[in-house]
Amino acid sequence: MRAMTEAKRPTTQSYDLQKAKRWAGNILVYLLLVCWTILVIFPLVWLVYSSFKSNKELYASVWGLPSRLAWDNFARAWEKGQLGWGLLNSLFYSVVSVAIADLFAAMAAYVLSRLNFRGGRAIFYYFMAGVFIPTSLTIIPTYFLLRDMGLMDSRLGLTLVYTAWNVPFGVFVLYGFFKTVPSEILDAALIDGASEFGVFWRIVLPLGQSGLVAVSILNFLWVWNELLYALVLVRRAALRPLPLALAALKASTYLSGDWAVVFAGATITAVPLIIIYILLQRQIVEGATMGAIKG
Amino acid sequence: MTRRQERAMLTVLFLLPGLLVYTIFVVWPGLQAFWLSLYNWDGMSPATYVGLGNFLKLAKDTLAQKAILNNAFFLIVPTLITLVLALLFAELIRGGIKGSSFFQVVFFFPNLLSMVIVGIIWLFVFSPNLGLLNGVLRGVGLDGLAKPWLGVPGLVVPAISFVMVWMAAGYYMVLLIAAMKNIPVELYEAAMLDGANWFQDFWFITIPMVWDVLRVTITLLFLGAIQQFALVWVMTEGGPNGASEVLATFMYKNAFRYFNIGYGSAAAVVMFILVFFFSLISFRWMSRRSIEY
């Protein structure tokens, strides 16, 4: 488009001069884009190769390549940081809370979008409020709530809290999706003898699939990256999700001075993501831009 | 069972689980935060009612003031730079220059990393002795510029702001490119016939046509800046000496380190009010400006 605009513009300057100008402009554009590319990639590359250096080498030279690959950094990071547990816990918290919240939110959104009953509108707004409540508002009372319920420092407690936060966003998005399902289809199914539950399970859920996928991705990413709740609600190392395990590993170096282990830990958590991203880049970029609401 | 009864039962059964879990773990604690902010409480001994005392104390607390100023800095500076960069990159890339999809994929990536990983990576980059930045500076002979970036009060907040931009710019660029793809080509063709230049195209067509996305972008960046926690926590824990304190770290420390439950809750309530206020004005003020051609 832009190229066409340029080409058709009436020329007052000589052709050569214009060509030179465009060429210089392109160089400038590429220079800028390449600079940002380096800024994005270089810290990651540096992180990965530095994690193979011993502590001594880390301090001796910022740039230098490792003289020999210190694989034991990774073993130490894995063990000290309990990263294996971190990975499993993160998967557990994300998958379980997203799955339960998907189900609860879909059920509520179905009823709210399909059946007209008194108070339905109010209940919808009540759910919507949850999208705008900052998580930091509730963190202190939640701590005491879980303490009183005996759910402090437990997988169940943290999972329940994550589930609860995922529900309103799910209702908010799925409500819109379910509204687009033509009611003729549902009425026809009801006349054919399907139960209300059957309509929900066999017709509305499959038709709202893309909405469910969008909600699941965004909720999953939120739980996967969450730090504050995990920091407050979980004490035992074996219950920590990955971000907290990594943060704890970092905090441990204040005493030990063992930075190589943190480099290795960060690499262990970042590299799988990089690989997945290289394989699925298009789907991930599209999926993440689909719904840009949840912060 | 009649159809009517079936419907009524379904309504209740379907609403109940979501309503219950959301009310117990989100709404109820949210309300309690307001109530707690009116008390002095250490979490164990009986609480004493102090009215708005915690908020008055907050207004006079220099550390709290510093935290709010830092939140304001994060709200304005990184947001502006992110917006400008995202718009610039989107405008440069969307024309389909060679390698445009490569640039998109690379620029987007930092957004996928968690705040904690990003914080740790940049903690290393800014580190005084083993850090990449000082290594680069010394490598090109600018030894004098090498600094303990996160250890200097005047530098720590700009340094963290840079990391926020590093993480967000590519993400919003991708959102903007998607929005720009939906602009009808005819608009640019009409402008071309009228002799519009590149800047006029950009200012009078592109910006108004992607305004909805920009509005969402600005709102999200604002809300993120007010609630900023993980990045600051991992990189500095609010230090050195409170220089990078934000409301969230201030709240966390007061509640869970010093056991000033009421005081921490008051900070949380302030955050809520700011979030509420900014959501409201960004939706109200900006919705008037979206243009339909």
Side-chain angles (χ1 to χ4, degrees), chain B residues 262-273:
Chain B
Y263 198 42
S265 299
V269 168
V270 170
M271 283 171 75
F272 169 78
I273 293 168

Side-chain angles (χ1 to χ4, degrees), chain A residues 268-282:
Chain A
I268 292 175
T269 32
V271 166
L273 257 175
I274 297 176
I275 293 169
I276 293 172
Y277 186 60
I278 290 172
L279 294 176
L280 298 175
Q281 32 180 288
R282 200 131 294 283

Side-chain angles (χ1 to χ4, degrees), chain A residues 1-2 4-6 8-9 26 29-30 32-34 36-37 39-44 46-47 58-59 62-63 104 107-108 110-112 115 117 123 126-147 149 151 157 160-161 163-165 167-168 187 190-191 193-197 200 221 224-225 227-228 231-232 235 243-244 246-247 250-251 254 259 262-263 266 269-270 273-274 277 281-282 284-285 288-289 291-295, chain B residues 3 6-7 10-11 13-15 17-19 21-30 32-34 36 41 43-44 85 88-89 91-95 97-99 101-117 120-125 129-132 135-136 139 162 165-166 169-171 174-175 185 188-189 192 196-198 201 206 216 220 223 227 229-230 233-237 248 251-252 255-256 261 264-265 268-269 271-272 275 279 283:
Chain A
M1 176 55 223
R2 191 142 311 281
M4 196 185 78
T5 322
E6 297 281 338
K8 284 194 183 167
R9 191 161 291 155
N26 274 346
V29 167
Y30 276 107
L32 192 74
L33 295 179
V34 168
W36 194 259
T37 305
L39 208 56
V40 169
I41 293 180
F42 195 60
L44 296 169
W46 174 75
L47 171 85
L58 274 182
Y59 281 96
V62 172
W63 293 99
F104 286 5
M107 291 182 348
Y110 171 71
V111 167
L112 292 172
L115 310 176
F117 59 96
I123 293 178
Y126 178 68
F127 274 120
M128 234 185 92
V131 181
F132 297 98
I133 302 174
T135 50
S136 29
L137 177 72
T138 70
I139 185 74
I140 298 170
T142 301
Y143 169 84
F144 290 103
L145 180 69
L146 289 201
R147 197 191 64 177
M149 293 171 100
L151 291 175
L160 276 171
V161 173
T163 306
W165 278 103
V167 166
D187 292 340
L190 286 173
I191 290 165
S195 66
E196 287 280 354
F197 183 79
F200 167 72
L221 284 177
W224 187 262
N225 290 329
L227 178 69
L228 183 58
L231 188 64
V232 172
R235 289 285 136 85
L244 184 57
L246 208 56
K250 186 223 100 187
Y254 289 132
W259 282 99
V262 190
F263 272 83
T269 32
L273 257 175
I274 297 176
Y277 186 60
Q281 32 180 288
R282 200 131 294 283
I284 292 175
V285 173
T289 48
I293 303 288
K294 194 160 186 175
Chain B
R3 188 123 253 174
E6 195 197 350
R7 281 204 165 186
L10 185 98
T11 305
L13 278 180
F14 269 31
L15 279 175
L19 272 180
V21 74
Y22 166 61
T23 304
I24 295 174
F25 293 103
V26 176
V27 177
W28 173 237
Q32 269 186 314
F34 288 90
L36 277 178
W41 189 36
M44 280 171 291
L85 278 180
L88 180 70
F89 291 154
E91 179 69 19
L92 294 180
I93 283 178
R94 69 151 171 162
I97 58 163
K98 216 175 267 173
S101 62
F102 168 79
F103 290 124
Q104 273 193 61
V105 165
V106 170
F107 291 8
F108 182 83
F109 182 69
N111 188 260
L112 276 190
L113 296 169
S114 75
M115 289 272 189
V116 172
I117 300 184
I120 286 180
I121 292 172
W122 286 92
L123 182 67
F124 289 143
V125 173
N129 298 320
L130 46 81
L132 182 61
V136 171
F162 173 80
V165 174
W166 183 80
Y171 175 68
V174 169
L175 282 190
V185 183
Y188 292 106
E189 285 168 352
M192 187 187 75
N197 61 26
W198 173 87
D201 273 3
T206 310
V216 173
L220 290 180
L223 300 190
Q227 299 178 67
F229 176 78
W233 189 253
V234 171
M235 289 178 75
T236 65
E237 285 196 14
M251 169 201 74
Y252 176 85
F256 300 109
I261 307 299
S265 299
V269 168
M271 283 171 75
F272 169 78
V275 165
S279 313
F283 278 105

Side-chain angles (χ1 to χ4, degrees), chain A residues 182-252:
Chain A
S183 57
E184 289 79 19
I185 300 179
L186 309 182
D187 292 340
L190 286 173
I191 290 165
D192 285 350
S195 66
E196 287 280 354
F197 183 79
V199 169
F200 167 72
W201 194 253
R202 295 221 183 75
I203 301 177
V204 176
L205 271 193
L207 285 176
Q209 209 179 18
S210 53
L212 274 173
V213 171
V215 167
S216 303
I217 290 176
L218 290 170
N219 278 340
F220 185 95
L221 284 177
W222 179 71
V223 176
W224 187 262
N225 290 329
E226 209 283 329
L227 178 69
L228 183 58
Y229 275 102
L231 188 64
V232 172
L233 301 179
V234 152
R235 289 285 136 85
R236 266 178 295 165
L239 300 185
R240 286 176 188 148
L242 209 47
L244 184 57
L246 208 56
L249 187 64
K250 186 223 100 187
S252 75

